[in-house]
């Protein structure tokens, strides 16, 4: 593994027990640098390797829709790991209690963690770190060019991070080695998944979706299908919400069920469709990694305060502008606005758990237009995004909403009411781009 993926979060006492990989963001057995690193350390020290996951009873706005997607993916992780003689433990409750207790009990020698720029994950790591004495090593296995390596500051926009990523891409976009079978055949205790499900204190009213099957194996077949059937026309069709032209990989990336690096390697190796390849790799690498950069270097990524100064200024100047429509959260949530196109987008996410990427921009910008303040718009958009999207609670989500409402990574546009200099989108603009009537017809209550 390229050692620039690694950060020593904490030095510590030398012990002789197993190496433990605390899997958090990257929930997969294959193509996972954090796991590969943990395994190499275990082999080097001639000790066992354990993988643990801590399931909290509730998490931000996640409902049974997102929890089941994750749990089913984790069931597959357990099966894959067991085939390599690697035990998988699932803890229920709070990580800062479970992890230190477990590490102490097995006299663990090293804790390996994956990288996550979001506040809650960093808070958990810090809490655990404060309670343990062994070293903690962090491996960035979510970004192709590691977030902390590519830049040591918040990047202004795609054009500032792009050259930094491109300069380092050859070095980091390398082949990922397979996992090795551990020689020892430890006691592979089975996880009690029913008990795990019964421990949840989440909202059960948002149903699971059946058109996307969770897990590493399905993610791989979706990637194959994308390359064989959709890549050719990705560039031409990606902004048409009536066409199923996108990869649909975002839920799998969000839960770490497929490696972005594996996807980039597969798409890069296609000897055709250069424009589509470039467009897809721009989203997958530059835009996605820019989101991690924003959230890592800006702890206010989910608030008005996190916007650029020019955006705060212009939104402040237009605070008192008269809004033509103002809706309550329930009206947005129930798709009860005057705008059939907006309602269709909301119905799409309620039913499918994934709104088309183009509609996400329109959807969030209209929330800014039809609420009392930018703060309220941000609150409503994040609440709905995180509650219904399978890929919600992700750096891409925080940045997508902040781009739409707060001009993050964008530039100033012609000034207009409510929006100020934030880029505006309207119904007629959409009408010129795609068949609005079909989209509304396909997304009915
Ligand atoms: C208001 C708003 C909210 C959003 N919320 C989320 C969210 O909660 N979770 C999420 O993952 N994405 C979010 N996005 C970004 C983007 O819309 C989705 O990543 C994309 O639609 C996912 O579908 P796909 O995987 O089929 O896309 P594809 O077009 O097939 O793209 C492949 C991958 O590239 C990355 N990507 C694509 N578009 C973007 C983008 N604009 N910014 C950063 N990365 C991108 C994603 O990782 C995506 O999975 C949001 C965008 C906006 C404007």
């Amino acid at each position: 593994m390229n050692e620039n993926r690694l950060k020593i979060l904490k030095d510590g006492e030398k012990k002789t027990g197993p190496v433990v990989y605390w899997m958090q963001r990257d929930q997969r057995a294959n193509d996972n640098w954090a796991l590969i690193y943990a395994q190499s350390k275990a082999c080097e020290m001639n000790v066992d390797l354990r993988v643990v996951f801590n399931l909290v009873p509730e998490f931000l706005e996640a409902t049974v829709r997102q929890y089941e997607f994750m749990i089913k993916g984790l069931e597959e992780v357990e099966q894959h790991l067991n085939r390599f003689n690697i035990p998988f433990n699932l803890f229920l409750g709070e990580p800062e209690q479970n992890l230190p207790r477990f590490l102490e009990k097995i006299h663990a020698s090293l804790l390996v963690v994956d990288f996550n720029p979001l506040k809650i994950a960093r808070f958990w790591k810090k809490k655990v770190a404060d309670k343990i004495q062994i070293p903690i090593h962090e491996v960035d296995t979510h970004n192709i060019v590691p977030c902390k390596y590519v830049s040591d500051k918040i990047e202004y926009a795609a054009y500032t991070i792009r050259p930094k990523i491109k300069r380092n891409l050859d070095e980091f976009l390398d082949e990922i080695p397979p996992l090795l079978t551990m020689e020892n055949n430890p006691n592979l205790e089975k996880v009690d998944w029913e008990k795990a499900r019964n421990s949840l204190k989440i909202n059960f009213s948002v149903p699971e979706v059946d058109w996307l099957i969770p897990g590493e194996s399905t993610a791989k077949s979706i990637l194959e299908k994308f390359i064989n059937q959709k890549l050719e026309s990705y560039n031409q069709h990606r902004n048409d919400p009536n066409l199923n032209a996108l990869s649909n990989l975002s839920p799998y990336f969000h839960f770490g069920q497929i490696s972005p690096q594996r996807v980039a390697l597969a798409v890069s190796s296609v000897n055709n469709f250069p424009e589509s390849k470039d467009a897809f790799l721009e989203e997958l690498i530059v835009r996605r990694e820019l989101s991690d950069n924003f959230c890592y270097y800006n702890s206010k990524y989910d608030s008005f305060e996190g916007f650029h100064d020019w955006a705060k200024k212009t939104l402040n100047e237009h605070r008192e502008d008269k809004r033509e429509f103002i809706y309550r959260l329930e009206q947005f949530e129930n798709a009860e606005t005057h705008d059939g196109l907006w309602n269709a987008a909301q119905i799409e996410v309620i039913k499918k758990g994934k709104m088309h990427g183009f509609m996400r921009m329109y959807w969030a910008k209209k929330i800014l237009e039809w609420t009392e303040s930018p703060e309220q718009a941000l609150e409503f958009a994040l609440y709905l995004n995180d509650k219904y999207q399978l890929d919600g609670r992700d750096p891409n989500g925080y940045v997508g909403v902040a781009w739409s409402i707060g001009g993050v990574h964008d530039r100033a546009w012609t000034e207009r009411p409510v929006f100020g200099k934030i880029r505006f989108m309207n119904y007629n603009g959409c009408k010129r781009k795609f068949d609005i009537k079909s989209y509304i017809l396909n997304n009915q209550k």
Side-chain angles (χ1 to χ4, degrees):
M1 182 186 83
N2 187 318
E3 61 183 32
N4 290 316
R5 290 198 177 279
L6 176 67
K7 279 275 168 223
I8 310 289
L9 295 189
K10 179 178 167 135
D11 281 321
E13 283 175 13
K14 293 255 170 303
K15 293 201 180 172
T16 51
V19 171
V20 175
Y21 167 34
W22 175 14
M23 180 182 276
Q24 294 176 74
R25 191 187 194 193
D26 292 282
Q27 299 163 19
R28 60 184 180 276
N30 295 295
D31 299 329
N32 184 339
W33 286 116
L35 178 56
I36 291 167
Y37 176 77
Q39 181 169 63
S40 74
K41 292 309 267 185
C43 293
E44 194 183 299
M45 296 191 274
N46 201 16
V47 296
D48 285 345
L49 169 65
R50 313 284 289 254
V51 178
V52 304
F53 187 89
N54 192 97
L55 186 73
V56 287
E58 55 190 325
F59 186 69
L60 306 175
E61 296 302 336
T63 68
V64 70
R65 170 177 288 176
Q66 295 89 3
Y67 258 88
E68 273 300 330
F69 198 90
M70 179 173 79
I71 290 177
K72 287 178 181 141
L74 288 171
E75 289 183 89
E76 196 179 331
V77 169
E78 180 193 26
Q79 289 164 19
H80 283 185
L81 289 175
N82 286 181
R83 272 184 232 140
F84 291 93
N85 284 341
I86 302 170
F88 178 77
N89 289 75
L90 184 80
F91 302 140
L92 309 178
E94 300 310 317
E96 64 265 32
Q97 282 157 15
N98 293 326
L99 262 293
R101 202 184 302 136
F102 176 73
L103 297 171
E104 181 72 35
K105 189 173 129 203
I106 65 165
H107 305 289
S109 52
L110 168 68
L111 179 64
V112 177
V113 294
D114 45 44
F115 168 76
N116 189 333
L118 299 186
K119 285 179 274 194
I120 183 141
R122 291 164 77 175
F123 170 80
W124 284 337
K125 265 181 213 162
K126 166 97 181 55
K127 285 273 194 185
V128 169
D130 288 346
K131 287 191 177 175
I132 65 175
Q133 275 75 45
I134 58 169
I136 307 181
H137 293 183
E138 181 186 77
V139 177
D140 188 342
T141 179
H142 213 80
N143 292 292
I144 297 172
V145 185
C147 179
K148 293 180 188 176
Y149 181 80
V150 74
S151 175
D152 57 4
K153 61 172 200 278
I154 186 161
E155 292 294 334
Y156 195 73
Y159 75 87
T160 66
I161 202 171
R162 190 179 296 111
K164 296 183 182 181
I165 290 181
K166 294 228 160 133
R167 203 181 303 142
N168 289 294
L169 204 54
D170 278 352
E171 184 187 337
F172 287 98
L173 192 53
D174 50 355
E175 187 43 54
I176 312 167
L179 205 56
L180 305 174
T181 303
M182 297 299 282
E183 273 176 19
N184 292 347
N185 197 346
N187 181 14
L188 296 172
E189 234 175 75
K190 293 283 168 233
V191 171
D192 184 344
W193 293 103
E194 263 333 287
K195 187 173 166 202
R197 288 185 166 91
N198 289 335
S199 73
L200 302 180
K201 298 190 171 71
I202 51 171
N203 176 349
F204 286 88
S205 71
V206 180
E208 292 176 59
V209 301
D210 55 15
W211 66 283
L212 274 183
I213 312 289
E216 284 187 71
S217 313
T218 316
K220 270 192 194 144
S221 40
I222 290 186
L223 170 62
E224 275 168 35
K225 187 172 163 202
F226 175 68
I227 291 180
N228 295 331
Q229 298 173 17
K230 299 186 185 177
L231 181 61
E232 179 173 7
S233 60
Y234 178 79
N235 193 36
Q236 193 188 348
H237 294 320
R238 69 196 163 119
N239 284 330
D240 187 338
N242 289 315
L243 301 176
N244 183 11
L246 304 185
S247 69
N248 289 327
L249 283 171
S250 57
Y252 300 93
F253 289 136
H254 172 71
F255 290 104
Q257 294 176 0
I258 193 164
S259 148
Q261 185 168 344
R262 172 60 59 208
V263 175
L265 285 167
V267 170
S268 303
S269 71
V270 174
N271 283 324
N272 223 335
F273 325 128
E275 281 162 12
S276 282
K277 267 172 61 179
D278 284 354
F280 181 78
L281 293 173
E282 165 75 12
E283 301 295 348
L284 172 72
I285 307 178
V286 177
R287 298 284 165 170
R288 199 181 48 80
E289 303 199 351
L290 178 62
S291 300
D292 263 32
N293 169 277
F294 182 74
C295 293
Y296 183 67
Y297 290 111
N298 178 359
S299 60
K300 296 184 177 143
Y301 55 76
D302 51 357
S303 82
F304 179 84
E305 289 308 313
F307 298 166
H308 293 303
D309 288 343
W310 71 264
K312 282 189 276 198
K313 181 166 178 287
T314 193
L315 288 168
N316 280 332
E317 283 164 3
H318 289 271
R319 255 177 207 286
E320 305 305 326
D321 291 0
K322 187 171 169 9
R323 275 81 172 144
E324 203 181 341
F325 302 94
I326 290 192
Y327 294 110
R328 284 176 285 109
L329 178 61
E330 303 78 62
Q331 292 172 298
F332 283 118
E333 185 156 9
N334 298 330
E336 289 169 354
T337 75
H338 65 283
D339 177 350
L341 180 60
W342 193 94
N343 295 343
Q346 175 64 16
I347 293 165
E348 180 176 36
V349 73
I350 290 178
K351 285 194 169 169
K352 284 182 68 186
K354 185 170 180 286
M355 190 189 297
H356 189 278
F358 184 82
M359 291 312 300
R360 294 190 200 210
M361 300 187 272
Y362 181 78
W363 174 87
K365 284 187 177 290
K366 292 294 152 189
I367 299 181
L368 172 62
E369 196 174 335
W370 303 329
T371 40
E372 284 164 8
S373 66
E375 286 84 354
Q376 193 182 53
L378 198 59
E379 184 196 324
F380 287 6
L382 287 175
Y383 171 81
L384 296 173
N385 197 68
D386 292 356
K387 182 166 174 184
Y388 292 103
Q389 304 273 19
L390 270 171
D391 58 22
R393 299 157 318 285
D394 190 276
N396 278 347
Y398 295 113
V399 168
V401 169
W403 177 89
S404 309
I405 295 175
V408 166
H409 300 146
D410 203 1
R411 64 173 171 87
W413 292 73
T414 311
E415 195 157 4
R416 52 178 304 124
V418 183
F419 283 76
K421 293 179 182 166
I422 304 293
R423 184 198 296 246
F424 177 69
M425 275 175 85
N426 70 4
Y427 189 92
N428 287 334
C430 294
K431 216 169 165 180
R432 282 192 294 274
K433 277 200 184 303
F434 63 92
D435 179 357
I436 285 183
K437 276 194 195 142
S438 295
Y439 182 72
I440 295 177
L441 215 62
N442 289 334
N443 292 289
Q444 299 274 326
K445 274 186 186 168

